[in-house]
Amino acid sequence: PPSGRSGRDILMIFDGSGSVGQANFHNMLKAGATLAADILANGKNKVGAMIFPAGYHASPITSSYSTVKNWLDSRKFPSGGTPTQVAFQRGAAWINRYVAKNGKIDKHIVIFTDGAPNNAPAALAAANSLKGQGFRITSITITSSQSLVSQANKWASTPKGNNTYHIKNFQPLMTELGRSQFATAIFSKVCRGP
């Protein structure tokens, strides 16, 4: 990239809908903090985080692990619906605002979700629109619903194998080891290829 930095700029978007539940939400954010540490370890990447539907607040996109971790640690469980299409649009707007200040970067959204979007066709249309604008989307699903997994796989960029990851429930995220394994598996995809 023109900035002379060959890193990636990644916005993690976390589903805070009612179906996730408070304990699972906080464990998912802890796993996100572990993933952020992995992403930032090379000194070239930057990462930020956004929660939906809680006003779509987002952290800075930064190379500072402590900034991202402190932001994630301070989030309250929002509950509510799953307006995935709005999360995609707000996430893209946040990255684009950052790009306007910092020049051309690899625009990459990693979305974590457990449930069907409120409006599945709108979520797919939003994902396709972003991919058409040069965004890479990686879908992380935590669900036993095969139909949600196949929906989320449609949001993901190609090659699908580098941009999808699925676990059946939140149980692995209850332990530090489980969160670490989850983050490592995602990291190996996120920082590989397009």
Side-chain angles (χ1 to χ4, degrees):
S3 65
R5 184 171 64 82
S6 58
R8 298 166 188 269
D9 295 80
I10 296 166
L11 181 66
M12 303 181 294
I13 301 180
F14 297 94
D15 179 349
S17 61
S19 60
V20 171
Q22 187 165 342
N24 291 337
F25 174 75
H26 288 294
N27 285 331
M28 181 171 59
L29 297 191
K30 286 178 189 171
T34 303
L35 176 60
D38 290 347
I39 291 168
L40 295 171
N42 72 357
K44 295 179 180 177
N45 296 328
K46 293 191 178 185
V47 69
M50 177 178 276
I51 310 287
F52 75 101
Y56 307 93
H57 297 299
S59 79
I61 298 172
T62 177
S63 57
S64 165
Y65 169 69
S66 61
T67 299
V68 177
K69 182 176 186 324
N70 291 342
W71 190 87
L72 288 169
D73 287 348
S74 66
R75 295 306 98 190
K76 296 206 175 1
F77 175 55
S79 197
T82 313
T84 308
Q85 77 279 9
V86 182
F88 278 134
Q89 291 157 355
R90 298 286 182 89
W94 186 248
I95 292 175
N96 283 337
R97 191 174 311 138
Y98 174 83
V99 170
K101 287 185 196 159
N102 296 279
K104 186 176 181 341
I105 56 168
D106 289 336
K107 300 186 289 188
H108 189 169
I109 288 173
V110 180
I111 188 162
F112 296 76
T113 187
D114 84 315
N118 293 352
N119 184 332
L124 181 58
N128 286 339
S129 170
L130 295 193
K131 289 185 286 187
Q133 296 167 47
F135 282 84
R136 177 180 170 191
I137 298 175
T138 301
S139 296
I140 311 301
T141 46
I142 305 166
T143 179
S144 57
S145 161
Q146 198 48 52
S147 75
L148 170 67
V149 173
S150 63
Q151 263 183 60
N153 286 357
K154 289 178 190 163
W155 308 336
S157 297
T158 52
K160 300 291 183 185
N162 286 359
N163 290 294
T164 56
Y165 186 70
H166 169 244
I167 57 174
K168 287 193 164 81
N169 57 52
F170 283 92
Q171 194 162 353
L173 304 188
M174 291 169 67
T175 67
E176 196 168 327
L177 177 63
R179 290 190 292 269
S180 177
Q181 290 170 337
F182 177 74
T184 299
I186 297 166
F187 171 75
S188 71
K189 293 171 179 284
V190 163
C191 288
R192 179 194 301 150

